Amino acid sequence: MSKYEFSLKQEVLMEKGAAVLGDLFRYRSANNIDDSKNPVAIMYALVWNAKRDVLSAQTEEELIAIDGKFDLAGRFLTQLEGASV
């Protein structure tokens, strides 16, 4: 993977992480979740940290792992939203 492709993948992951964080933030706000031990708040913190790690990643494998965390958080939220309907 060239430096350009790697940087592009980082940029895409930054956007994906921002989208997931935004969705989690809206869910927390809509459901008045303030407890830092709530699973939604914990997932938010994990995604925040993963998003921060995008820029310090050095390998494609690290980016793949971060992408997996974003996917997991997205599925987590989808399941929560489905259960609350």
Side-chain angles (χ1 to χ4, degrees):
M1 174 180 284
S2 72
K3 281 187 162 197
Y4 172 78
E5 291 169 322
F6 190 83
S7 294
L8 182 60
K9 177 101 173 148
Q10 283 178 306
E11 188 64 33
V12 169
L13 283 177
M14 291 295 287
E15 292 295 324
K16 184 175 183 177
V20 173
L21 281 175
D23 292 343
L24 285 167
F25 180 81
R26 282 186 286 283
Y27 185 88
R28 283 179 70 179
S29 295
N31 292 283
N32 299 316
I33 298 172
D34 293 325
D35 181 9
S36 64
K37 294 185 182 193
N38 183 291
V40 176
I42 292 168
M43 184 62 73
Y44 183 89
L46 290 172
V47 172
W48 182 271
N49 290 335
K51 187 175 180 291
R52 186 193 64 220
D53 292 342
V54 169
L55 295 177
S56 64
Q58 298 293 313
T59 66
E60 185 177 1
E61 289 76 19
E62 288 175 295
L63 295 181
I64 291 169
I66 292 166
D67 192 24
K69 291 175 185 178
F70 293 158
D71 287 342
L72 175 63
R75 288 192 307 271
F76 172 77
L77 187 57
T78 298
Q79 290 293 316
L80 279 177
E81 291 172 334
S84 64
V85 172

